[in-house]
Amino acid sequence: MTEAGGPAGPIGTAHARYAPGTPCWVSLMAHGLTATQAFYGELFGWEFQPGPQQLGPYARALLDGREVAGIGQLAPDRHLPVAWTPYFASDDVDSTAETVRLCGGTIGVGPLEAAEAGRLAIGSDPSGAVFGVWQAGALVGTEITGVPGTPVWYELTTYETASVRKFYSTVFAYEEEAAPAADFDHVTLHVGGRPVAGVHGVGAMLARDQGPHWTTYFEVADLGAALTLVAGLGGRVLEPAHDSAHGRVAAVADPEGAHFCLIQDPR
């Protein structure tokens, strides 16, 4: 796990639109929809309402009545990794999907309509890391960020940044900021001068059972209490809490094994 590079939005920001390339939604596909909702509902205070069913049973997570994430159910015959997938905003998902293909990535799902909510595609970068693309309709994406219970940062862990940073910067027109230390392979991706995601190359340290992957960071008010709750709800603490430049961070997994990070903002 790397340190988060910065929050995805200011404190308590309500979003009416996301600039292209900005992470705008995060979605989890799990086997047990009811049990997974119960876990995250207790952990983050989320409530749920039905969402578009194009990819199977799906629910939107709400925090104080505002949509923040989605949880769907994998079909019993789909033996896919249970993981949180970030979606990046696009004004034209079909054009973005074509650029993904031209740049060496793949599109595994879509582009397709998600009822009136919007239009989506799910693909992977040249290293195999899975991500989504979202063209907003009635659903702009995560409606509020910067408060406990919301996603605040997205980090790609991969073998090395050189090839994938070119891919993402071409597809989403990111500006890049490389780490000042020559021995630390990390790039921060910016939209409109604002950091929105990070790419960290770890070489042979990358876990073989995971491969290149995106990790979502969720903000919590009290990291110690959140970690106790994770364990009590059947999850696991993968990396204990430690201090970073952006607050205290820990890596955890839910009862089905989906990895994510928790961060307590020092403000």
Side-chain angles (χ1 to χ4, degrees), residues 37-46 48 229 233:
Q37 288 180 9
F39 173 85
Y40 287 100
E42 287 289 331
L43 181 61
F44 294 135
W46 290 349
F48 297 90
L229 196 53
L233 293 169

Side-chain angles (χ1 to χ4, degrees), residues 32-94:
L33 186 57
T34 300
T36 300
Q37 288 180 9
F39 173 85
Y40 287 100
E42 287 289 331
L43 181 61
F44 294 135
W46 290 349
E47 297 178 336
F48 297 90
Q49 68 178 20
Q53 308 290 303
Q54 275 72 9
L55 301 179
Y58 192 81
R60 294 175 184 163
L62 282 72
L63 183 67
D64 296 328
R66 296 179 176 180
E67 294 169 333
V68 294
I71 298 178
Q73 183 170 326
L74 286 167
D77 59 344
R78 298 290 296 276
H79 301 290
L80 299 174
V82 177
W84 282 100
T85 300
Y87 283 71
F88 300 94
S90 172
D91 288 337
D92 185 340
V93 70
D94 294 83

Side-chain angles (χ1 to χ4, degrees), residues 14-25:
H15 296 275
R17 179 185 178 277
Y18 282 91
T22 307
C24 63
W25 187 248

Side-chain angles (χ1 to χ4, degrees), residues 89 93 119 146 217:
V93 70
R119 190 164 172 80
Y217 289 68

